[in-house]
Amino acid sequence: MSKTIKRVLISRAEIDQMCRRLGEQITHDYAGKEIILIGVLKGAFIFMSDLARYIGVPCRIDFMSVSSYGSGTRTSGVVRITKDLDTDITGKHIIVVEDIVDTGLTLKHLRELLSTRNPASIALCTAFDKPDRRKVEIMVEYTGLQIPDEFIVGYGLDFDGKYRNLPDVSVLGDDN
Ligand code: IMP
Ligand code: MG
């Protein structure tokens, strides 16, 4: 069965408003400090670039890429780094930027992993959140929009590597 775009869930205008709000909040919270934004590839690449332009404190950017070990569709919560940071984060204020929090396993593991490198502080920022799907308790300091338990694509989010380039966020469903 193939998948098709069902409907737009979040418009480009709503997304822009969300980025502005988060950027202003971060600018306020980190006044007088320097930060490193760490984008989790590939999903966060568009969100991070929009968010960064609304942040008014001195800012470096870096990316990392992770894949989760798991059998089939089940994620184990163990995250393997496939591309590590270029930056030494020791003593730095870092904000990890994700596209979406689903079970929470990826960000929980990433927070633990990056904490071992002794940053001055670590915060998590996600564009979207599906709270109904959470399997582990996790504190996310900056959340854009909460969404219902549906599979979404666009604005960086993919299905089978596709749809990341769509400017809105849409719901993907079975083609029947
Ligand atoms: P978690 O470890 O379950 O929180 O996994 C989050 C990751 O799963 C995200 O970074 C996405 O790559 C992927 N993901 C979860 N929900 C969706 C969705 O609705 N659309 C596209 N990717 C998703
Ligand atoms: Mg992702």
Side-chain angles (χ1 to χ4, degrees), residues 22-160:
L22 291 173
E24 287 175 353
Q25 208 178 328
I26 289 169
T27 303
H28 172 266
D29 294 351
Y30 289 85
K33 295 176 181 155
E34 291 188 9
I35 59 175
I36 304 176
L37 291 180
I38 298 174
V40 184
L41 293 173
K42 302 178 177 115
F45 82 113
I46 293 180
F47 172 50
M48 177 128 136
S49 65
D50 280 347
L51 177 70
R53 281 174 280 189
Y54 283 119
I55 292 179
V57 295
C59 183
R60 290 191 172 84
I61 67 153
D62 205 342
F63 292 96
M64 61 192 303
S65 193
V66 297
S67 74
S68 49
Y69 289 114
S71 51
T73 54
R74 289 190 55 196
T75 42
S76 60
V78 178
V79 169
R80 183 169 56 97
I81 296 179
T82 53
K83 183 229 171 288
D84 206 341
L85 299 173
D86 299 326
T87 321
D88 180 7
I89 60 169
T90 310
K92 309 287 188 191
H93 297 284
I94 64 169
I95 303 178
V96 179
V97 180
E98 251 284 38
D99 51 358
I100 187 166
V101 186
D102 188 33
T103 61
L105 289 164
T106 305
L107 276 186
K108 183 182 194 304
H109 191 81
L110 262 186
R111 188 201 282 272
E112 286 167 7
L113 189 97
L114 293 174
S115 296
T116 65
R117 300 183 187 180
N118 300 313
S121 69
I122 176 165
L124 307 179
C125 175
T126 186
F128 309 111
D129 178 20
K130 287 198 260 192
D132 296 345
R133 297 256 310 162
R134 200 74 85 252
K135 281 190 186 152
V136 286
E137 240 183 86
I138 172 180
M139 159 89 165
V140 180
E141 284 79 1
Y142 303 99
T143 297
L145 297 167
Q146 293 199 337
I147 60 163
D149 180 10
E150 294 192 89
F151 196 85
I152 58 169
V153 293
Y155 197 64
L157 292 123
D158 75 304
F159 172 71
D160 195 21

